[in-house]
Short mmCIF file of all heavy atoms in Angstrom, two decimals:
data_model
loop_
_atom_site.label_atom_id
_atom_site.label_comp_id
_atom_site.label_asym_id
_atom_site.label_seq_id
_atom_site.Cartn_x
_atom_site.Cartn_y
_atom_site.Cartn_z
N ALA A 1 23.30 8.37 23.17
CA ALA A 1 23.92 8.47 24.50
C ALA A 1 23.09 7.78 25.57
O ALA A 1 23.43 7.87 26.76
CB ALA A 1 24.11 9.93 24.86
N GLY A 2 22.00 7.10 25.18
CA GLY A 2 21.17 6.43 26.16
C GLY A 2 20.23 7.34 26.90
O GLY A 2 19.80 7.04 28.02
N VAL A 3 19.87 8.47 26.29
CA VAL A 3 19.01 9.48 26.89
C VAL A 3 17.73 9.58 26.06
O VAL A 3 17.75 9.35 24.85
CB VAL A 3 19.73 10.84 26.92
CG1 VAL A 3 18.81 11.95 27.43
CG2 VAL A 3 20.99 10.75 27.77
N SER A 4 16.62 9.94 26.70
CA SER A 4 15.39 10.14 25.93
C SER A 4 14.60 11.31 26.50
O SER A 4 14.65 11.62 27.69
CB SER A 4 14.52 8.88 25.94
OG SER A 4 14.02 8.61 27.23
N LEU A 5 13.87 11.97 25.60
CA LEU A 5 12.90 13.01 25.94
C LEU A 5 11.64 12.69 25.18
O LEU A 5 11.65 12.63 23.94
CB LEU A 5 13.43 14.40 25.55
CG LEU A 5 12.41 15.55 25.62
CD1 LEU A 5 11.91 15.75 27.04
CD2 LEU A 5 13.01 16.83 25.06
N ARG A 6 10.53 12.47 25.90
CA ARG A 6 9.31 12.06 25.23
C ARG A 6 8.11 12.82 25.77
O ARG A 6 8.13 13.35 26.89
CB ARG A 6 9.07 10.56 25.42
CG ARG A 6 8.53 10.23 26.79
CD ARG A 6 8.04 8.81 26.95
NE ARG A 6 7.44 8.65 28.25
CZ ARG A 6 7.67 7.64 29.08
NH1 ARG A 6 8.50 6.68 28.73
NH2 ARG A 6 7.06 7.59 30.26
N HIS A 7 7.06 12.85 24.93
CA HIS A 7 5.75 13.31 25.36
C HIS A 7 4.78 12.15 25.19
O HIS A 7 4.70 11.54 24.12
CB HIS A 7 5.26 14.50 24.51
CG HIS A 7 3.88 14.96 24.88
ND1 HIS A 7 2.74 14.38 24.35
CD2 HIS A 7 3.46 15.91 25.76
CE1 HIS A 7 1.68 14.96 24.87
NE2 HIS A 7 2.08 15.89 25.72
N ARG A 8 4.07 11.81 26.29
CA ARG A 8 3.12 10.70 26.23
C ARG A 8 1.72 11.25 26.49
O ARG A 8 1.47 11.89 27.52
CB ARG A 8 3.48 9.64 27.27
CG ARG A 8 2.56 8.44 27.25
CD ARG A 8 2.95 7.45 28.35
NE ARG A 8 4.03 6.58 27.92
CZ ARG A 8 4.68 5.75 28.73
NH1 ARG A 8 4.37 5.71 30.02
NH2 ARG A 8 5.64 4.96 28.27
N LYS A 9 0.83 10.99 25.57
CA LYS A 9 -0.53 11.53 25.65
C LYS A 9 -1.29 10.99 26.86
O LYS A 9 -1.11 9.85 27.27
CB LYS A 9 -1.32 11.16 24.38
CG LYS A 9 -0.88 11.90 23.13
CD LYS A 9 -1.76 11.52 21.95
CE LYS A 9 -1.36 12.27 20.69
NZ LYS A 9 -2.21 11.89 19.53
N GLY A 10 -2.14 11.87 27.41
CA GLY A 10 -3.09 11.44 28.42
C GLY A 10 -2.57 11.38 29.84
O GLY A 10 -3.30 10.97 30.74
N GLU A 11 -1.33 11.80 30.10
CA GLU A 11 -0.79 11.75 31.44
C GLU A 11 -0.75 13.15 32.05
O GLU A 11 -0.63 14.15 31.34
CB GLU A 11 0.62 11.15 31.43
CG GLU A 11 0.65 9.70 30.93
CD GLU A 11 2.02 9.06 31.07
OE1 GLU A 11 3.00 9.79 31.27
OE2 GLU A 11 2.09 7.82 30.97
N LYS A 12 -0.84 13.22 33.39
CA LYS A 12 -0.82 14.51 34.06
C LYS A 12 0.53 15.20 33.89
O LYS A 12 0.60 16.44 33.83
CB LYS A 12 -1.13 14.33 35.55
CG LYS A 12 -2.57 13.91 35.83
CD LYS A 12 -2.81 13.80 37.34
CE LYS A 12 -4.25 13.41 37.63
NZ LYS A 12 -4.51 13.27 39.10
N ARG A 13 1.57 14.42 33.86
CA ARG A 13 2.92 14.95 33.63
C ARG A 13 3.47 14.24 32.39
O ARG A 13 4.25 13.31 32.48
CB ARG A 13 3.81 14.69 34.86
CG ARG A 13 3.31 15.45 36.09
CD ARG A 13 3.84 14.86 37.39
NE ARG A 13 5.26 15.04 37.57
CZ ARG A 13 5.83 16.09 38.14
NH1 ARG A 13 5.07 17.08 38.57
NH2 ARG A 13 7.13 16.17 38.28
N PRO A 14 3.04 14.71 31.21
CA PRO A 14 3.28 13.93 29.99
C PRO A 14 4.71 13.98 29.47
O PRO A 14 5.09 13.13 28.66
CB PRO A 14 2.33 14.57 28.99
CG PRO A 14 2.18 15.99 29.46
CD PRO A 14 2.23 15.92 30.95
N TRP A 15 5.50 14.96 29.91
CA TRP A 15 6.87 15.08 29.41
C TRP A 15 7.83 14.37 30.37
O TRP A 15 7.81 14.61 31.58
CB TRP A 15 7.27 16.55 29.28
CG TRP A 15 6.61 17.24 28.14
CD1 TRP A 15 5.48 18.01 28.18
CD2 TRP A 15 7.06 17.24 26.78
NE1 TRP A 15 5.18 18.47 26.93
CE2 TRP A 15 6.14 18.02 26.05
CE3 TRP A 15 8.12 16.65 26.12
CZ2 TRP A 15 6.27 18.23 24.68
CZ3 TRP A 15 8.26 16.86 24.76
CH2 TRP A 15 7.35 17.64 24.05
N THR A 16 8.68 13.51 29.81
CA THR A 16 9.61 12.73 30.63
C THR A 16 10.99 12.69 30.00
O THR A 16 11.13 12.44 28.79
CB THR A 16 9.09 11.29 30.83
OG1 THR A 16 7.85 11.33 31.53
CG2 THR A 16 10.08 10.47 31.64
N VAL A 17 12.00 12.90 30.82
CA VAL A 17 13.40 12.68 30.45
C VAL A 17 13.89 11.45 31.19
O VAL A 17 13.61 11.27 32.37
CB VAL A 17 14.28 13.89 30.80
CG1 VAL A 17 15.75 13.50 30.86
CG2 VAL A 17 14.08 15.01 29.79
N LYS A 18 14.61 10.58 30.48
CA LYS A 18 15.27 9.44 31.12
C LYS A 18 16.77 9.56 30.85
O LYS A 18 17.20 9.78 29.71
CB LYS A 18 14.72 8.12 30.61
CG LYS A 18 13.27 7.87 31.02
CD LYS A 18 12.80 6.49 30.66
CE LYS A 18 11.36 6.26 31.11
NZ LYS A 18 10.88 4.88 30.84
N LEU A 19 17.54 9.40 31.94
CA LEU A 19 18.99 9.58 31.88
C LEU A 19 19.69 8.31 32.37
O LEU A 19 19.21 7.65 33.30
CB LEU A 19 19.41 10.74 32.78
CG LEU A 19 18.83 12.11 32.46
CD1 LEU A 19 19.00 13.04 33.65
CD2 LEU A 19 19.52 12.69 31.23
N PRO A 20 20.82 7.96 31.79
CA PRO A 20 21.55 6.78 32.24
C PRO A 20 22.12 6.99 33.64
O PRO A 20 22.45 8.11 34.03
CB PRO A 20 22.67 6.63 31.21
CG PRO A 20 22.84 7.99 30.62
CD PRO A 20 21.49 8.64 30.66
N THR A 21 22.21 5.90 34.39
CA THR A 21 22.80 5.94 35.73
C THR A 21 24.16 5.26 35.78
O THR A 21 24.85 5.32 36.80
CB THR A 21 21.89 5.24 36.75
OG1 THR A 21 21.79 3.85 36.39
CG2 THR A 21 20.51 5.87 36.78
N GLY A 22 24.54 4.60 34.70
CA GLY A 22 25.75 3.78 34.72
C GLY A 22 25.48 2.34 35.06
O GLY A 22 26.37 1.49 34.96
N VAL A 23 24.24 2.03 35.47
CA VAL A 23 23.84 0.66 35.79
C VAL A 23 22.86 0.19 34.72
O VAL A 23 21.83 0.84 34.51
CB VAL A 23 23.16 0.59 37.18
CG1 VAL A 23 22.70 -0.83 37.47
CG2 VAL A 23 24.11 1.09 38.25
N PRO A 24 23.14 -0.90 34.00
CA PRO A 24 22.23 -1.37 32.95
C PRO A 24 20.81 -1.58 33.51
O PRO A 24 20.62 -2.20 34.54
CB PRO A 24 22.85 -2.69 32.49
CG PRO A 24 24.30 -2.56 32.84
CD PRO A 24 24.34 -1.76 34.11
N GLY A 25 19.83 -1.05 32.79
CA GLY A 25 18.44 -1.22 33.19
C GLY A 25 17.95 -0.23 34.21
O GLY A 25 16.76 -0.24 34.55
N ALA A 26 18.82 0.63 34.72
CA ALA A 26 18.42 1.64 35.71
C ALA A 26 18.63 3.02 35.12
O ALA A 26 19.70 3.33 34.59
CB ALA A 26 19.21 1.48 37.00
N ARG A 27 17.58 3.85 35.21
CA ARG A 27 17.67 5.20 34.65
C ARG A 27 17.01 6.20 35.59
O ARG A 27 16.05 5.89 36.28
CB ARG A 27 16.98 5.25 33.28
CG ARG A 27 17.67 4.43 32.21
CD ARG A 27 16.91 4.46 30.90
NE ARG A 27 15.62 3.76 31.00
CZ ARG A 27 14.74 3.71 30.01
NH1 ARG A 27 14.99 4.32 28.87
NH2 ARG A 27 13.60 3.05 30.17
N HIS A 28 17.56 7.42 35.60
CA HIS A 28 16.88 8.53 36.25
C HIS A 28 15.67 8.90 35.39
O HIS A 28 15.79 9.04 34.17
CB HIS A 28 17.81 9.74 36.37
CG HIS A 28 18.97 9.54 37.28
ND1 HIS A 28 18.86 9.56 38.65
CD2 HIS A 28 20.28 9.32 37.00
CE1 HIS A 28 20.05 9.36 39.19
NE2 HIS A 28 20.93 9.20 38.21
N GLU A 29 14.53 9.11 36.03
CA GLU A 29 13.32 9.47 35.31
C GLU A 29 12.76 10.76 35.91
O GLU A 29 12.47 10.82 37.10
CB GLU A 29 12.29 8.34 35.39
CG GLU A 29 11.02 8.61 34.61
CD GLU A 29 10.07 7.42 34.62
OE1 GLU A 29 10.54 6.30 34.32
OE2 GLU A 29 8.89 7.62 34.94
N ILE A 30 12.59 11.78 35.08
CA ILE A 30 12.12 13.09 35.52
C ILE A 30 10.95 13.50 34.63
O ILE A 30 11.10 13.57 33.41
CB ILE A 30 13.24 14.15 35.44
CG1 ILE A 30 14.48 13.68 36.19
CG2 ILE A 30 12.75 15.49 35.99
CD1 ILE A 30 15.53 13.05 35.31
N SER A 31 9.79 13.77 35.24
CA SER A 31 8.60 14.11 34.47
C SER A 31 8.10 15.50 34.84
O SER A 31 8.24 15.95 35.99
CB SER A 31 7.48 13.08 34.73
OG SER A 31 7.87 11.80 34.27
N ARG A 32 7.51 16.17 33.85
CA ARG A 32 6.98 17.51 34.04
C ARG A 32 5.68 17.66 33.25
O ARG A 32 5.49 17.00 32.22
CB ARG A 32 7.98 18.57 33.55
CG ARG A 32 9.27 18.63 34.34
CD ARG A 32 9.04 19.23 35.72
NE ARG A 32 10.30 19.40 36.45
CZ ARG A 32 10.84 18.50 37.24
NH1 ARG A 32 10.24 17.32 37.42
NH2 ARG A 32 11.96 18.76 37.88
N PRO A 33 4.79 18.57 33.70
CA PRO A 33 3.61 18.90 32.89
C PRO A 33 4.01 19.78 31.71
O PRO A 33 5.12 20.31 31.67
CB PRO A 33 2.72 19.66 33.87
CG PRO A 33 3.69 20.28 34.85
CD PRO A 33 4.82 19.30 34.97
N GLY A 34 3.10 19.95 30.78
CA GLY A 34 3.38 20.81 29.64
C GLY A 34 2.54 20.45 28.43
O GLY A 34 2.04 19.32 28.31
N ARG A 35 2.37 21.40 27.54
CA ARG A 35 1.59 21.18 26.32
C ARG A 35 2.40 20.35 25.33
O ARG A 35 3.63 20.41 25.29
CB ARG A 35 1.18 22.51 25.71
CG ARG A 35 0.36 23.38 26.67
CD ARG A 35 0.00 24.71 26.06
NE ARG A 35 -0.87 24.54 24.90
CZ ARG A 35 -1.36 25.55 24.19
NH1 ARG A 35 -1.05 26.80 24.52
NH2 ARG A 35 -2.15 25.32 23.15
N ALA A 36 1.67 19.63 24.48
CA ALA A 36 2.33 18.70 23.57
C ALA A 36 3.20 19.41 22.53
O ALA A 36 4.17 18.85 22.04
CB ALA A 36 1.28 17.83 22.87
N ALA A 37 2.85 20.64 22.19
CA ALA A 37 3.54 21.31 21.09
C ALA A 37 4.98 21.67 21.40
O ALA A 37 5.83 21.72 20.50
CB ALA A 37 2.76 22.56 20.69
N THR A 38 5.28 21.93 22.68
CA THR A 38 6.61 22.45 23.04
C THR A 38 7.14 21.75 24.28
O THR A 38 6.46 21.73 25.31
CB THR A 38 6.55 23.97 23.29
OG1 THR A 38 5.94 24.62 22.18
CG2 THR A 38 7.95 24.53 23.52
N ALA A 39 8.33 21.23 24.18
CA ALA A 39 8.95 20.58 25.34
C ALA A 39 9.25 21.63 26.41
O ALA A 39 9.67 22.75 26.10
CB ALA A 39 10.23 19.89 24.93
N PRO A 40 9.03 21.30 27.69
CA PRO A 40 9.35 22.25 28.76
C PRO A 40 10.82 22.66 28.72
O PRO A 40 11.71 21.82 28.56
CB PRO A 40 9.04 21.46 30.03
CG PRO A 40 8.07 20.40 29.62
CD PRO A 40 8.45 20.05 28.21
N ALA A 41 11.06 23.96 28.86
CA ALA A 41 12.43 24.46 28.78
C ALA A 41 13.33 23.81 29.82
O ALA A 41 14.52 23.58 29.57
CB ALA A 41 12.43 25.98 28.96
N GLU A 42 12.77 23.49 30.99
CA GLU A 42 13.56 22.87 32.04
C GLU A 42 14.11 21.52 31.61
O GLU A 42 15.27 21.17 31.87
CB GLU A 42 12.71 22.69 33.30
CG GLU A 42 13.45 22.02 34.44
CD GLU A 42 12.55 21.65 35.61
OE1 GLU A 42 11.34 21.95 35.55
OE2 GLU A 42 13.06 21.04 36.57
N LEU A 43 13.28 20.73 30.91
CA LEU A 43 13.73 19.41 30.47
C LEU A 43 14.71 19.52 29.30
O LEU A 43 15.64 18.72 29.19
CB LEU A 43 12.54 18.54 30.10
CG LEU A 43 11.60 18.17 31.24
CD1 LEU A 43 10.57 17.14 30.78
CD2 LEU A 43 12.37 17.64 32.45
N VAL A 44 14.49 20.48 28.43
CA VAL A 44 15.45 20.69 27.33
C VAL A 44 16.81 21.05 27.91
O VAL A 44 17.86 20.55 27.49
CB VAL A 44 14.95 21.77 26.37
CG1 VAL A 44 16.02 22.10 25.32
CG2 VAL A 44 13.66 21.32 25.68
N ALA A 45 16.80 21.94 28.93
CA ALA A 45 18.07 22.31 29.57
C ALA A 45 18.70 21.13 30.28
O ALA A 45 19.94 21.01 30.33
CB ALA A 45 17.82 23.45 30.56
N LEU A 46 17.87 20.24 30.80
CA LEU A 46 18.38 19.10 31.56
C LEU A 46 19.26 18.19 30.71
O LEU A 46 20.15 17.52 31.24
CB LEU A 46 17.20 18.32 32.12
CG LEU A 46 17.47 17.34 33.25
CD1 LEU A 46 17.99 18.05 34.48
CD2 LEU A 46 16.18 16.59 33.60
#
């Protein structure tokens, strides 16, 4: 569906969701802190 949820090591807010905007190459990007083992519940709900 053009959506992603990732954890990137070494960042202050390592969890990021990217959502489509309807415009090619443009995405909503939302980042949150959190431990690597478990995705933040807020982003899973998102």
